[in-house]
């Protein structure tokens, strides 16, 4: 089951925010995240806030987006019309494409009516390949979606099986091609490496299959075995073995070689795109500490240094909104130091890099040491920016720890 929410201070029933947070609304981009917490089955590695029909007494979410609409109305009132027009929308999950395209489109219309959409707004939905066909993809484009993020994970059937992924090998690649034909401006395929039993040849087959589709964006994540998941229980019992750090590093280097040779460049440690225009702008907002409101159970939000998170269960979420109350479980007010540390942690992982001027004297000393060890690029460093080399990306967490000390 999904992990436990963190504690924090209470959130006002009307969702109102501190004046200092509202003052920052116009200085940064504003995005919207919509969480759809439904899945047909639970993948063995997943600890996201998702639920199957059996876990919700058969509820398939028929009226769920009515609750989301109520939170949109609450957000509009709490923000008092002070937000810039929405620059990015990301509908994630869960499996958003279990809901009809017209219903997802209605939610986009609700967001547009409440906040307005900026010119060139990026509108993304995640997608399980088995839940769409060419007709539904065309309907999503008609509803206003511009970007499709497909969960492929692997091209190898035995790797999908150990991950408890229930889609047919080859289906994700087919959907990616359909998405292009039906009018999506951007199509991304997501991969996971380091699964039990995956070989270098298996990983190469997945990379090659992705590139054969001609997508403009690829995400590749190292498998993390989260406590409480079915995969964690299997690993704990010794049924399967996870890849060691050396193997994970080899898989990452393999991805970098293959994707770079095909013309995709990294712009965040786990993300590659054909051009800067093909990057996921919504995720870039997270890495740049933009403002966003997360709608749905368990969704997290951030505005002007105030972060909050919603109750996790769909029934509790709907009940609070039905009573005209905020669905937020708790919040925290980030200090200037908290925000500086987070800025370092996130921006150093991107190809745009981190301005050295935000570091303390000790942090700049650590950056100089990282440069000497080949972990930072010399060119950007000379002009005042810390950008990770390939070895630096493999040790990104350690570099970050040194920079923030």
């Amino acid at each position: 089951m999904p992990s436990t929410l963190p504690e924090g201070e209470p959130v006002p029933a009307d969702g109102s925010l501190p004046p200092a947070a509202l003052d920052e609304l116009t200085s940064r981009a504003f995005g919207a995240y919509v969480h759809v917490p439904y899945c047909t089955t639970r993948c063995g590695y997943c600890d996201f806030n998702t639920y199957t029909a059996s876990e919700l007494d058969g509820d398939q979410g028929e009226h769920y987006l009515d609750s989301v609409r109520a939170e949109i109305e609450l957000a509009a009132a709490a923000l008092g019309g002070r937000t810039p027009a929405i620059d990015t929308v990301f509908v994630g999950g869960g499996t958003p494409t279990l809901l009809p395209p017209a219903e997802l489109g209605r939610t986009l219309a609700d967001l547009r009516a409440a906040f307005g959409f900026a010119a060139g707004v990026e509108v993304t939905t995640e997608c399980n390949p088995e839940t769409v066909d060419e007709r539904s993809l065309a309907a999503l484009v008609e509803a206003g979606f511009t970007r499709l993020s497909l969960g492929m994970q692997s091209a190898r059937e035995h790797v999908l099986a150990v991950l408890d992924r229930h889609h047919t090998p080859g289906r994700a690649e087919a959907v990616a091609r359909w998405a292009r034909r039906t009018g999506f401006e951007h199509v991304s395929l997501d991969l996971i490496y380091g699964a039990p039993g995956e070989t270098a040849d298996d990983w190469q087959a997945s990379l090659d299959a992705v590139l054969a589709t001609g997508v403009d964006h690829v995400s590749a994540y190292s498998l993390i075995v989260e406590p409480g998941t079915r995969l964690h229980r299997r690993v704990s019992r010794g049924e399967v073995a996870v890849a060691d750090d050396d193997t994970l590093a080899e898989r990452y280097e393999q991805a970098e070689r293959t994707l770079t040779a095909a013309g995709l460049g990294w712009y965040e440690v786990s993300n590659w795109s054909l051009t800067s225009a093909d990057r996921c702008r919504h995720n870039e907002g997270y890495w740049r500490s933009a403002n966003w409101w997360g709608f749905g159970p368990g969704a997290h939000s951030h505005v002007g240094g105030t972060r909050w998170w919603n109750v996790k269960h769909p029934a509790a979420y709907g009940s609070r909104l039905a009573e005209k109350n905020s669905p937020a479980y708790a919040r925290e007010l980030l200090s200037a130091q908290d925000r500086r540390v987070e800025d370092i942690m996130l921006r150093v992982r991107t190809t745009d890099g981190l301005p050295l001027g935000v570091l303390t004297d000790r942090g700049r000393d650590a950056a100089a040491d990282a440069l000497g060890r080949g972990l930072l690029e010399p060119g950007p460093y000379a002009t005042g920016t810390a950008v990770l080399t390939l070895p630096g990306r493999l040790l990104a967490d350690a570099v970050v720890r040194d920079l923030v000390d």
Side-chain angles (χ1 to χ4, degrees), residues 311-333:
V311 294
K312 301 193 78 166
H313 199 279
Y317 171 79
S319 294
R320 289 200 179 196
L321 286 161
E323 296 168 358
K324 307 296 183 184
N325 289 327
S326 167
Y329 177 79
R331 75 182 185 186
E332 61 178 337
L333 308 182

Side-chain angles (χ1 to χ4, degrees), residues 2 9 26 48 56 58 88 105 140 256 279 326 328 372:
E9 69 173 38
T26 57
F48 292 169
L56 296 173
T88 63
L140 287 167
E256 170 66 9
R279 298 176 179 182
S326 167

Side-chain angles (χ1 to χ4, degrees), residues 118-137:
V121 61
E122 175 192 87
V123 186
T124 305
T125 184
E126 292 184 329
C127 172
N128 182 305
E130 298 290 348
T131 62
V132 293
D133 54 25
E134 285 196 75
R135 178 178 296 180
S136 63
L137 289 170

